[in-house]
Coordinates of all heavy atoms in Angstrom, one line a residue:
M27 N 77.6 70.7 111.1 CA 78.6 70.7 110.1 C 78.4 71.6 109.0 O 79.2 71.9 108.1 CB 78.7 69.2 109.5 CG 79.1 68.2 110.5 SD 80.8 68.3 111.0 CE 81.6 67.6 109.6
G28 N 77.2 72.2 108.9 CA 76.8 73.1 107.8 C 77.6 74.3 107.6 O 77.6 74.9 106.5
N29 N 78.3 74.8 108.7 CA 79.0 76.0 108.5 C 80.5 75.9 108.0 O 81.1 76.8 107.8 CB 79.1 76.8 109.9 CG 77.7 77.3 110.2 OD1 76.9 77.6 109.3 ND2 77.4 77.5 111.5
F30 N 80.9 74.6 107.9 CA 82.3 74.4 107.5 C 82.4 74.7 106.0 O 81.5 74.4 105.2 CB 82.8 73.0 107.7 CG 83.1 72.8 109.2 CD1 82.2 72.3 110.1 CD2 84.4 73.0 109.6 CE1 82.5 72.1 111.4 CE2 84.7 72.9 111.0 CZ 83.7 72.4 111.8
I31 N 83.6 75.3 105.6 CA 83.8 75.6 104.2 C 84.2 74.3 103.5 O 85.1 73.6 103.9 CB 85.0 76.6 104.1 CG1 84.5 77.9 104.7 CG2 85.3 76.9 102.6 CD1 85.7 79.0 104.8
K32 N 83.5 74.0 102.4 CA 83.9 72.8 101.6 C 85.2 73.1 100.9 O 85.5 74.2 100.5 CB 82.7 72.5 100.6 CG 81.4 72.2 101.3 CD 80.4 71.7 100.2 CE 79.1 71.3 100.8 NZ 78.3 72.5 101.2
S33 N 85.9 72.0 100.7 CA 87.3 72.2 100.1 C 87.3 72.9 98.7 O 88.2 73.6 98.4 CB 88.0 70.8 100.0 OG 87.2 70.0 99.2
E34 N 86.2 72.7 98.0 CA 86.2 73.3 96.7 C 85.8 74.8 96.7 O 85.8 75.4 95.7 CB 85.4 72.5 95.7 CG 83.9 72.5 96.0 CD 83.4 71.4 96.9 OE1 84.3 70.8 97.7 OE2 82.2 71.1 97.0
E35 N 85.3 75.3 97.8 CA 84.8 76.6 97.9 C 86.0 77.6 98.0 O 87.0 77.3 98.6 CB 83.8 76.8 99.1 CG 82.5 76.2 98.8 CD 81.5 76.5 99.9 OE1 81.9 76.3 101.1 OE2 80.4 76.8 99.6
N36 N 85.8 78.8 97.5 CA 86.8 79.9 97.6 C 86.6 80.5 99.0 O 85.6 81.2 99.3 CB 86.6 80.9 96.5 CG 87.6 82.0 96.6 OD1 88.4 82.1 97.5 ND2 87.6 82.8 95.5
P37 N 87.6 80.5 99.9 CA 87.5 81.1 101.2 C 87.3 82.6 101.2 O 86.7 83.2 102.1 CB 88.8 80.7 102.0 CG 89.7 80.4 100.9 CD 88.9 79.8 99.8
L38 N 87.7 83.2 100.1 CA 87.6 84.7 100.0 C 86.1 85.1 99.9 O 85.7 86.2 100.2 CB 88.3 85.2 98.8 CG 89.9 85.1 98.9 CD1 90.5 85.6 97.7 CD2 90.4 85.7 100.2
K39 N 85.2 84.1 99.6 CA 83.8 84.4 99.5 C 83.2 84.8 100.9 O 82.2 85.5 101.0 CB 83.1 83.1 99.1 CG 81.6 83.0 99.0 CD 81.2 81.7 98.5 CE 79.7 81.4 98.6 NZ 79.3 80.1 98.3
Y40 N 83.9 84.4 102.0 CA 83.4 84.6 103.3 C 84.2 85.8 104.0 O 84.0 86.0 105.2 CB 83.6 83.4 104.2 CG 82.7 82.2 103.6 CD1 83.3 81.3 102.8 CD2 81.4 82.1 103.9 CE1 82.6 80.2 102.3 CE2 80.6 81.1 103.4 CZ 81.2 80.2 102.5 OH 80.5 79.1 102.0
T41 N 84.9 86.5 103.3 CA 85.7 87.6 103.9 C 85.6 88.9 103.2 O 85.3 89.0 102.0 CB 87.2 87.2 103.9 OG1 87.7 87.0 102.6 CG2 87.4 85.9 104.7
V42 N 86.0 89.9 103.9 CA 86.2 91.2 103.3 C 87.7 91.5 103.7 O 88.1 91.4 104.8 CB 85.3 92.3 103.8 CG1 85.7 93.7 103.3 CG2 83.9 92.1 103.4
I43 N 88.5 91.9 102.7 CA 89.9 92.2 103.0 C 90.2 93.6 102.6 O 89.9 94.1 101.5 CB 90.8 91.2 102.2 CG1 90.6 89.8 102.7 CG2 92.3 91.6 102.4 CD1 91.4 88.7 101.9
K44 N 90.7 94.4 103.6 CA 91.1 95.7 103.4 C 92.7 95.8 103.4 O 93.3 95.8 104.4 CB 90.6 96.6 104.5 CG 90.9 98.1 104.3 CD 90.3 98.9 105.5 CE 90.7 100.3 105.4 NZ 90.3 101.1 106.7
P45 N 93.2 95.7 102.2 CA 94.7 95.5 102.2 C 95.5 96.8 102.5 O 95.0 97.9 102.1 CB 95.0 95.0 100.7 CG 93.8 95.5 99.9 CD 92.6 95.6 100.9
Y46 N 96.6 96.6 103.2 CA 97.5 97.8 103.4 C 98.3 97.9 102.2 O 98.5 97.0 101.4 CB 98.3 97.5 104.7 CG 99.1 98.7 105.1 CD1 98.5 99.9 105.4 CD2 100.5 98.6 105.3 CE1 99.3 101.0 105.8 CE2 101.3 99.6 105.7 CZ 100.6 100.8 105.9 OH 101.4 101.9 106.4
K47 N 99.0 99.1 102.0 CA 99.8 99.3 100.8 C 101.0 98.5 100.7 O 101.6 98.3 99.7 CB 100.1 100.8 100.7 CG 100.9 101.3 101.9 CD 101.1 102.8 101.9 CE 101.8 103.3 103.1 NZ 102.0 104.7 103.2
E48 N 101.5 98.0 101.9 CA 102.7 97.2 101.9 C 102.4 95.8 102.4 O 101.5 95.6 103.2 CB 103.7 97.8 102.9 CG 104.2 99.2 102.5 CD 105.0 99.8 103.6 OE1 105.4 99.2 104.6 OE2 105.3 101.0 103.4
S49 N 103.1 94.8 101.8 CA 102.8 93.4 102.2 C 103.3 93.1 103.6 O 104.3 93.6 104.1 CB 103.6 92.5 101.2 OG 103.4 91.2 101.6
H50 N 102.5 92.3 104.3 CA 102.8 91.8 105.6 C 103.5 90.4 105.5 O 103.7 89.8 106.5 CB 101.6 91.7 106.5 CG 100.5 90.8 106.0 ND1 99.8 91.0 104.8 CD2 100.1 89.6 106.4 CE1 98.9 90.1 104.6 NE2 99.1 89.1 105.6
I51 N 103.8 90.0 104.3 CA 104.4 88.7 104.0 C 105.6 88.9 103.1 O 105.5 89.7 102.1 CB 103.5 87.7 103.3 CG1 102.2 87.6 104.1 CG2 104.1 86.4 103.2 CD1 101.1 86.9 103.3
S52 N 106.7 88.3 103.4 CA 107.9 88.4 102.5 C 108.7 87.1 102.6 O 108.6 86.3 103.5 CB 108.8 89.5 102.8 OG 109.3 89.4 104.1
I53 N 109.3 86.8 101.5 CA 110.2 85.6 101.4 C 111.6 86.0 101.7 O 112.2 87.0 101.2 CB 110.2 85.0 99.9 CG1 108.8 84.7 99.5 CG2 111.1 83.8 99.8 CD1 108.1 83.7 100.3
R54 N 112.2 85.3 102.7 CA 113.5 85.8 103.2 C 114.6 85.5 102.1 O 115.5 86.4 102.0 CB 113.9 85.0 104.5 CG 113.0 85.3 105.7 CD 113.5 84.8 107.0 NE 112.8 85.3 108.1 CZ 111.9 84.6 108.8 NH1 111.6 83.3 108.5 NH2 111.2 85.2 109.8
D55 N 114.6 84.4 101.5 CA 115.6 84.1 100.5 C 115.0 83.3 99.4 O 114.8 82.1 99.5 CB 116.7 83.3 101.2 CG 117.9 83.0 100.3 OD1 117.8 83.2 99.1 OD2 118.9 82.5 100.9
Q56 N 114.8 84.0 98.2 CA 114.2 83.3 97.1 C 115.2 82.2 96.6 O 114.7 81.2 95.9 CB 114.0 84.3 95.9 CG 112.8 85.2 96.2 CD 111.5 84.6 95.9 OE1 111.4 83.4 95.5 NE2 110.4 85.3 96.1
G57 N 116.5 82.3 96.8 CA 117.4 81.3 96.4 C 117.1 79.9 97.0 O 117.3 78.9 96.4
I58 N 116.6 79.9 98.3 CA 116.3 78.7 98.9 C 115.1 78.1 98.2 O 115.0 76.8 98.0 CB 116.0 78.9 100.4 CG1 117.2 79.3 101.2 CG2 115.3 77.7 101.1 CD1 117.0 79.7 102.6
C59 N 114.1 78.9 97.9 CA 112.9 78.4 97.2 C 113.3 77.7 95.9 O 112.9 76.6 95.5 CB 111.9 79.5 96.9 SG 111.4 80.5 98.3
A60 N 114.2 78.4 95.2 CA 114.6 77.9 93.8 C 115.5 76.7 93.9 O 115.3 75.8 93.0 CB 115.3 79.1 93.1
S61 N 116.4 76.6 94.8 CA 117.4 75.6 94.8 C 117.2 74.4 95.7 O 117.6 73.3 95.5 CB 118.8 76.2 95.0 OG 118.8 76.7 96.3
R62 N 116.5 74.7 96.9 CA 116.4 73.6 97.9 C 115.0 73.1 98.1 O 114.9 72.0 98.7 CB 117.0 74.2 99.2 CG 118.5 74.5 99.1 CD 119.1 75.2 100.3 NE 118.9 74.4 101.5 CZ 119.1 74.9 102.8 NH1 119.5 76.1 102.9 NH2 118.9 74.1 103.8
C63 N 114.0 73.9 97.8 CA 112.6 73.5 98.2 C 112.0 72.8 97.0 O 111.3 73.5 96.2 CB 111.9 74.7 98.7 SG 110.3 74.2 99.4
E64 N 112.1 71.6 96.9 CA 111.7 70.8 95.7 C 110.2 70.9 95.5 O 109.7 71.2 94.4 CB 112.1 69.4 95.7 CG 111.8 68.6 94.5 CD 112.3 67.2 94.6 OE1 112.9 66.8 95.6 OE2 112.0 66.4 93.6
N65 N 109.4 70.7 96.5 CA 107.9 70.6 96.4 C 107.2 71.9 96.6 O 106.0 71.9 96.3 CB 107.4 69.5 97.4 CG 107.9 68.1 97.1 OD1 108.1 67.8 95.9 ND2 108.2 67.3 98.1
K66 N 107.8 72.9 97.1 CA 107.2 74.2 97.3 C 105.9 74.1 98.0 O 104.8 74.5 97.4 CB 107.2 74.9 96.0 CG 108.6 75.1 95.4 CD 108.6 75.8 94.1 CE 110.0 75.9 93.5 NZ 111.0 74.9 93.9
P67 N 105.8 73.6 99.2 CA 104.5 73.4 99.8 C 103.7 74.6 100.1 O 102.5 74.5 100.1 CB 104.9 72.7 101.2 CG 106.3 73.0 101.4 CD 106.9 73.1 100.0
C68 N 104.3 75.8 100.1 CA 103.5 77.0 100.3 C 102.5 77.2 99.2 O 101.4 77.8 99.4 CB 104.4 78.2 100.5 SG 105.4 78.5 99.0
T69 N 102.8 76.6 98.0 CA 101.9 76.8 96.9 C 100.6 75.9 97.0 O 99.7 76.1 96.2 CB 102.6 76.5 95.6 OG1 103.0 75.2 95.5 CG2 103.8 77.4 95.4
Y70 N 100.6 75.0 98.0 CA 99.4 74.2 98.1 C 98.8 74.2 99.5 O 97.6 73.8 99.7 CB 99.5 72.8 97.5 CG 100.7 72.0 98.0 CD1 100.6 71.3 99.2 CD2 101.8 71.9 97.3 CE1 101.7 70.5 99.6 CE2 102.9 71.1 97.7 CZ 102.8 70.4 98.8 OH 103.9 69.7 99.3
Y71 N 99.6 74.5 100.6 CA 98.9 74.5 101.9 C 98.2 75.8 102.2 O 97.3 75.8 103.1 CB 99.9 74.1 103.1 CG 101.0 75.1 103.4 CD1 100.7 76.4 103.9 CD2 102.3 74.8 103.2 CE1 101.7 77.3 104.2 CE2 103.3 75.6 103.5 CZ 103.0 76.9 104.0 OH 104.0 77.8 104.2
C72 N 98.5 76.9 101.6 CA 97.8 78.1 101.8 C 96.4 78.0 101.3 O 96.2 77.8 100.1 CB 98.5 79.3 101.2 SG 97.6 80.8 101.3
P73 N 95.4 78.1 102.2 CA 94.0 77.9 101.8 C 93.5 79.1 100.8 O 92.5 78.9 100.2 CB 93.2 78.0 103.1 CG 94.0 78.8 104.0 CD 95.5 78.5 103.6
S74 N 94.3 80.1 100.8 CA 93.8 81.3 100.0 C 94.6 81.5 98.7 O 94.5 82.5 98.0 CB 93.8 82.5 100.8 OG 93.0 83.5 100.3
R75 N 95.5 80.5 98.5 CA 96.4 80.6 97.3 C 97.1 81.9 97.1 O 97.1 82.5 96.1 CB 95.5 80.3 96.0 CG 94.9 78.9 96.1 CD 94.2 78.5 94.8 NE 92.9 79.2 94.6 CZ 91.8 78.9 95.2 NH1 91.7 77.8 95.9 NH2 90.7 79.6 95.0
V76 N 97.8 82.3 98.2 CA 98.6 83.5 98.2 C 99.9 83.3 97.4 O 100.4 84.2 96.8 CB 98.9 83.9 99.7 CG1 100.0 85.0 99.7 CG2 97.6 84.5 100.3
Y77 N 100.4 82.1 97.5 CA 101.8 81.8 96.9 C 101.6 81.1 95.6 O 100.8 80.2 95.4 CB 102.6 80.9 97.8 CG 102.8 81.5 99.2 CD1 101.9 81.2 100.2 CD2 103.8 82.5 99.4 CE1 102.1 81.8 101.5 CE2 103.9 83.1 100.7 CZ 103.1 82.7 101.7 OH 103.2 83.3 102.9
C78 N 102.4 81.5 94.6 CA 102.5 80.7 93.4 C 104.0 80.8 92.9 O 104.7 81.7 93.2 CB 101.6 81.2 92.3 SG 102.0 82.7 91.5
W79 N 104.4 79.8 92.1 CA 105.7 79.7 91.6 C 105.6 80.2 90.1 O 105.0 79.6 89.3 CB 106.2 78.3 91.6 CG 107.6 78.1 91.0 CD1 107.9 77.4 89.9 CD2 108.8 78.5 91.6 NE1 109.2 77.4 89.7 CE2 109.9 78.1 90.7 CE3 109.2 79.2 92.7 CZ2 111.2 78.4 91.0 CZ3 110.5 79.5 93.0 CH2 111.5 79.1 92.1
S80 N 106.3 81.3 89.9 CA 106.2 81.9 88.5 C 107.5 82.7 88.3 O 108.0 83.4 89.2 CB 105.0 82.8 88.4 OG 105.0 83.5 87.2
D81 N 108.0 82.7 87.1 CA 109.3 83.4 86.8 C 110.4 83.0 87.7 O 111.2 83.9 88.1 CB 109.1 84.9 86.8 CG 108.1 85.4 85.7 OD1 108.0 84.7 84.7 OD2 107.3 86.4 86.0
N82 N 110.5 81.7 88.0 CA 111.6 81.2 88.9 C 111.6 81.8 90.2 O 112.7 82.0 90.8 CB 112.9 81.3 88.2 CG 113.1 80.4 87.0 OD1 112.7 79.2 87.1 ND2 113.6 80.9 85.9
A83 N 110.5 82.2 90.8 CA 110.5 82.8 92.1 C 109.1 82.6 92.7 O 108.1 82.4 92.0 CB 110.8 84.3 92.1
I84 N 109.0 82.6 94.0 CA 107.7 82.6 94.7 C 107.1 84.0 94.6 O 107.7 84.9 95.1 CB 107.9 82.1 96.2 CG1 108.2 80.6 96.2 CG2 106.6 82.4 96.9 CD1 107.1 79.7 95.8
Q85 N 105.9 84.0 94.1 CA 105.2 85.3 94.0 C 104.2 85.3 95.2 O 103.6 84.3 95.5 CB 104.4 85.4 92.7 CG 105.3 85.2 91.5 CD 106.4 86.2 91.3 OE1 106.2 87.4 91.6 NE2 107.5 85.7 90.7
V86 N 104.1 86.4 95.8 CA 103.2 86.5 97.0 C 102.1 87.6 96.8 O 102.3 88.8 96.7 CB 104.1 87.0 98.3 CG1 103.2 87.1 99.5 CG2 105.2 86.1 98.5
D87 N 100.9 87.0 96.7 CA 99.7 87.9 96.4 C 99.1 88.2 97.8 O 98.0 87.6 98.2 CB 98.7 87.2 95.5 CG 97.6 88.0 95.1 OD1 97.6 89.2 95.5 OD2 96.7 87.5 94.3
Y88 N 99.8 89.0 98.6 CA 99.4 89.2 100.0 C 98.0 89.7 100.2 O 97.4 89.5 101.3 CB 100.5 90.1 100.7 CG 100.3 91.6 100.4 CD1 99.6 92.4 101.2 CD2 100.8 92.2 99.2 CE1 99.4 93.8 100.9 CE2 100.6 93.5 98.9 CZ 99.9 94.3 99.8 OH 99.7 95.6 99.5
M89 N 97.4 90.4 99.2 CA 96.1 90.9 99.4 C 95.0 89.8 99.5 O 93.9 90.1 99.9 CB 95.8 91.8 98.2 CG 96.6 93.1 98.2 SD 96.1 94.2 96.9 CE 97.3 95.5 97.1
R90 N 95.4 88.6 99.2 CA 94.5 87.4 99.4 C 94.5 86.8 100.8 O 93.8 85.9 101.1 CB 94.8 86.4 98.3 CG 94.6 86.8 96.9 CD 94.9 85.6 96.0 NE 94.1 84.4 96.2 CZ 92.9 84.2 95.7 NH1 92.4 85.1 94.9 NH2 92.2 83.2 96.0
C91 N 95.5 87.2 101.6 CA 95.7 86.5 102.9 C 94.6 86.6 103.8 O 94.1 87.7 104.1 CB 97.0 87.0 103.5 SG 97.4 86.3 105.1
I92 N 94.1 85.5 104.3 CA 93.0 85.4 105.3 C 93.5 85.2 106.7 O 92.7 84.9 107.6 CB 91.9 84.4 104.9 CG1 92.5 83.0 104.8 CG2 91.2 84.8 103.6 CD1 91.5 81.9 104.6
E93 N 94.8 85.4 106.9 CA 95.5 85.4 108.2 C 95.2 84.1 109.0 O 95.0 84.2 110.3 CB 95.0 86.7 109.0 CG 95.4 87.9 108.3 CD 94.7 89.2 108.9 OE1 94.5 89.2 110.1 OE2 94.4 90.1 108.1
C94 N 95.3 83.0 108.4 CA 95.2 81.7 109.1 C 96.5 81.4 109.9 O 96.5 80.6 110.8 CB 94.8 80.6 108.2 SG 96.2 80.0 107.1
K95 N 97.6 82.1 109.5 CA 98.9 82.0 110.1 C 99.5 80.6 109.9 O 100.3 80.2 110.8 CB 98.8 82.4 111.5 CG 100.2 83.0 112.0 CD 100.1 83.5 113.4 CE 101.5 84.0 113.8 NZ 101.6 84.3 115.2
A96 N 99.2 79.9 108.9 CA 99.8 78.6 108.6 C 101.2 78.7 108.0 O 102.0 77.8 108.2 CB 98.9 77.8 107.7
C97 N 101.4 79.8 107.3 CA 102.6 79.8 106.5 C 103.9 79.8 107.3 O 104.9 79.2 106.9 CB 102.6 80.9 105.4 SG 102.0 82.4 105.9
P98 N 104.0 80.6 108.4 CA 105.3 80.5 109.1 C 105.7 79.1 109.6 O 106.8 78.8 109.8 CB 105.1 81.5 110.3 CG 103.9 82.3 109.9 CD 103.1 81.5 109.0
F99 N 104.7 78.3 109.8 CA 104.9 76.9 110.3 C 105.0 75.9 109.2 O 105.7 74.9 109.3 CB 103.8 76.5 111.2 CG 103.6 77.4 112.4 CD1 102.6 78.4 112.3 CD2 104.4 77.4 113.5 CE1 102.4 79.3 113.4 CE2 104.3 78.3 114.5 CZ 103.2 79.3 114.5
G100 N 104.4 76.2 108.0 CA 104.4 75.2 106.9 C 105.6 75.3 106.1 O 105.9 74.3 105.4
C101 N 106.3 76.3 106.0 CA 107.5 76.4 105.2 C 108.7 75.6 105.9 O 109.1 75.9 107.0 CB 108.0 77.8 105.0 SG 109.6 77.9 104.1
P102 N 109.2 74.5 105.2 CA 110.1 73.6 105.8 C 111.5 74.3 106.1 O 112.3 73.8 106.8 CB 110.3 72.5 104.8 CG 109.8 73.0 103.5 CD 108.8 74.1 103.9
Y103 N 111.7 75.5 105.5 CA 113.0 76.2 105.7 C 112.8 77.5 106.5 O 113.8 78.3 106.5 CB 113.6 76.5 104.3 CG 113.9 75.3 103.5 CD1 113.1 74.7 102.6 CD2 115.1 74.6 103.8 CE1 113.4 73.6 101.9 CE2 115.5 73.4 103.1 CZ 114.6 72.9 102.2 OH 114.9 71.7 101.5
G104 N 111.7 77.7 107.1 CA 111.5 78.9 107.9 C 111.8 80.2 107.0 O 112.3 81.1 107.5
N105 N 111.3 80.1 105.8 CA 111.8 81.1 104.8 C 110.7 82.2 104.6 O 110.8 83.0 103.7 CB 112.1 80.4 103.5 CG 113.0 81.2 102.6 OD1 113.7 82.1 103.1 ND2 112.9 80.9 101.3
I106 N 109.6 82.1 105.4 CA 108.5 83.1 105.2 C 108.5 84.0 106.4 O 108.3 83.6 107.5 CB 107.2 82.4 105.0 CG1 107.2 81.6 103.7 CG2 106.0 83.4 104.9 CD1 106.0 80.7 103.5
E107 N 108.6 85.3 106.1 CA 108.4 86.3 107.2 C 107.0 86.8 107.2 O 106.5 87.2 106.1 CB 109.4 87.5 106.9 CG 109.3 88.6 107.9 CD 110.0 88.3 109.2 OE1 111.0 87.6 109.2 OE2 109.4 88.8 110.2
W108 N 106.3 86.6 108.3 CA 104.8 86.9 108.3 C 104.5 87.6 109.6 O 105.0 87.2 110.7 CB 104.0 85.6 108.2 CG 102.5 85.7 108.1 CD1 101.8 85.7 106.9 CD2 101.5 86.0 109.1 NE1 100.5 85.9 107.1 CE2 100.3 86.1 108.4 CE3 101.6 86.2 110.4 CZ2 99.1 86.4 109.1 CZ3 100.4 86.5 111.1 CH2 99.2 86.5 110.5
H109 N 103.7 88.7 109.5 CA 103.2 89.3 110.7 C 101.8 89.8 110.4 O 101.4 89.9 109.2 CB 104.1 90.4 111.2 CG 104.4 91.5 110.1 ND1 103.5 92.5 109.8 CD2 105.4 91.6 109.3 CE1 104.0 93.2 108.9 NE2 105.2 92.7 108.5
Y110 N 101.0 90.1 111.4 CA 99.7 90.6 111.1 C 99.7 92.0 110.4 O 100.7 92.7 110.6 CB 98.9 90.8 112.4 CG 98.3 89.5 112.9 CD1 98.9 88.9 114.0 CD2 97.3 88.9 112.3 CE1 98.5 87.7 114.5 CE2 96.8 87.6 112.8 CZ 97.4 87.1 113.9 OH 96.9 85.9 114.4
P111 N 98.8 92.2 109.5 CA 98.7 93.5 108.8 C 98.6 94.7 109.9 O 98.2 94.5 111.0 CB 97.5 93.5 107.9 CG 97.2 92.0 107.8 CD 97.7 91.4 109.1
K112 N 98.9 95.9 109.4 CA 98.8 97.1 110.3 C 97.4 97.1 110.8 O 96.4 96.8 110.1 CB 99.1 98.3 109.4 CG 99.1 99.6 110.1 CD 99.5 100.7 109.0 CE 99.4 102.1 109.6 NZ 100.3 102.4 110.6
A113 N 97.2 97.7 112.0 CA 95.9 97.8 112.7 C 94.9 98.5 111.8 O 95.3 99.5 111.2 CB 96.0 98.5 114.0
G114 N 93.7 97.9 111.7 CA 92.7 98.6 110.8 C 92.7 98.0 109.4 O 91.8 98.3 108.6
Y115 N 93.7 97.2 109.1 CA 93.8 96.6 107.8 C 93.7 95.0 107.9 O 93.9 94.5 109.0 CB 95.0 97.0 107.0 CG 95.1 98.4 106.7 CD1 95.6 99.4 107.6 CD2 94.6 98.9 105.5 CE1 95.6 100.7 107.3 CE2 94.6 100.3 105.2 CZ 95.1 101.2 106.1 OH 95.1 102.5 105.8
G116 N 93.5 94.4 106.8 CA 93.5 92.9 106.8 C 92.1 92.4 106.6 O 91.2 93.0 106.0
V117 N 91.9 91.2 107.2 CA 90.7 90.4 106.9 C 89.6 90.7 108.0 O 89.8 90.9 109.1 CB 91.0 88.9 106.9 CG1 91.4 88.4 108.3 CG2 89.9 88.1 106.3
I118 N 88.4 90.7 107.5 CA 87.2 90.8 108.3 C 86.3 89.6 107.9 O 85.9 89.5 106.7 CB 86.4 92.1 108.1 CG1 87.2 93.3 108.4 CG2 85.1 92.1 108.9 CD1 86.7 94.6 107.9
Y119 N 86.0 88.7 108.8 CA 85.2 87.5 108.5 C 83.7 87.8 108.5 O 83.3 88.5 109.4 CB 85.6 86.3 109.4 CG 86.9 85.8 109.2 CD1 88.0 86.2 109.9 CD2 87.1 84.8 108.2 CE1 89.3 85.7 109.6 CE2 88.4 84.3 107.9 CZ 89.5 84.8 108.7 OH 90.7 84.3 108.4
K120 N 83.0 87.3 107.5 CA 81.6 87.5 107.5 C 80.7 86.4 108.0 O 79.5 86.5 108.0 CB 81.2 87.8 106.0 CG 81.8 89.1 105.4 CD 81.2 89.4 104.1 CE 81.7 88.5 103.0 NZ 81.2 88.9 101.7
I121 N 81.4 85.2 108.4 CA 80.6 84.1 108.8 C 79.9 84.4 110.1 O 80.5 84.9 111.0 CB 81.5 82.8 109.0 CG1 82.1 82.4 107.6 CG2 80.7 81.7 109.6 CD1 83.1 81.3 107.7
Ligands
LIG207 S1 107.8 76.5 101.2 FE1 109.2 78.0 101.9 S2 111.2 77.5 100.9 FE2 109.6 76.3 99.9 S3 109.0 77.6 98.1 FE3 107.6 78.2 99.8 S4 108.6 79.9 100.8 FE4 110.2 78.9 99.5
LIG208 S1 98.4 83.2 106.8 FE1 97.2 81.6 105.8 S2 96.1 82.6 104.2 FE2 97.8 84.0 104.8 S3 99.4 83.5 103.4 FE3 99.7 82.3 105.2 S4 98.8 80.3 104.8 FE4 98.0 81.8 103.3

């Protein structure tokens, strides 16, 4: 059990991320986030805290993404466009 990340630990501690210049994540319709998605689950299921609600919109800090690929399934409105970063970019795990 010693190798599991504890919930209070920052997962970025175990990774090196080489971000591409363009985001591999986008929100399809910010209006859905604002008007229909009351609990905004993306802001708490993402283990790397990529999403936050600020200025009446979901902000996407894509450079923090550790590519767990939870977000396309976790958004109740299918409102997140996600694909792997361009080859040679993205996350490298150090564990
Ligand atoms: S879970 Fe989906 S619809 Fe809800 S705030 Fe996040 S991106 Fe928007
Ligand atoms: S793939 Fe995982 S780490 Fe990246 S934004 Fe989605 S939930 Fe967060």
Side-chain angles (χ1 to χ4, degrees):
M27 296 292 281
N29 289 333
F30 284 91
I31 297 173
K32 297 187 179 78
S33 61
E34 68 272 16
E35 285 185 313
N36 181 354
L38 295 180
K39 175 180 170 185
Y40 298 97
T41 62
V42 172
I43 296 176
K44 183 181 175 186
Y46 189 55
K47 60 186 176 184
E48 295 169 12
S49 178
H50 61 292
I51 307 168
S52 60
I53 304 297
R54 293 191 171 106
D55 184 347
Q56 287 280 0
I58 291 175
C59 306
S61 64
R62 295 173 59 189
C63 190
E64 184 179 359
N65 295 324
K66 300 177 180 34
C68 61
T69 62
Y70 53 84
Y71 67 65
C72 172
S74 198
R75 297 186 288 277
V76 166
Y77 303 96
C78 73
W79 179 250
S80 176
D81 296 328
N82 289 317
I84 290 292
Q85 310 296 328
V86 181
D87 189 359
Y88 76 95
M89 292 185 184
R90 295 181 59 87
C91 177
I92 55 172
E93 300 169 31
C94 74
K95 210 178 177 187
C97 44
F99 304 99
C101 173
Y103 295 96
N105 200 23
I106 297 174
E107 178 75 34
W108 189 97
H109 56 81
Y110 282 106
K112 184 179 172 69
Y115 293 89
V117 68
I118 300 164
Y119 289 93
K120 295 191 288 187
I121 295 176

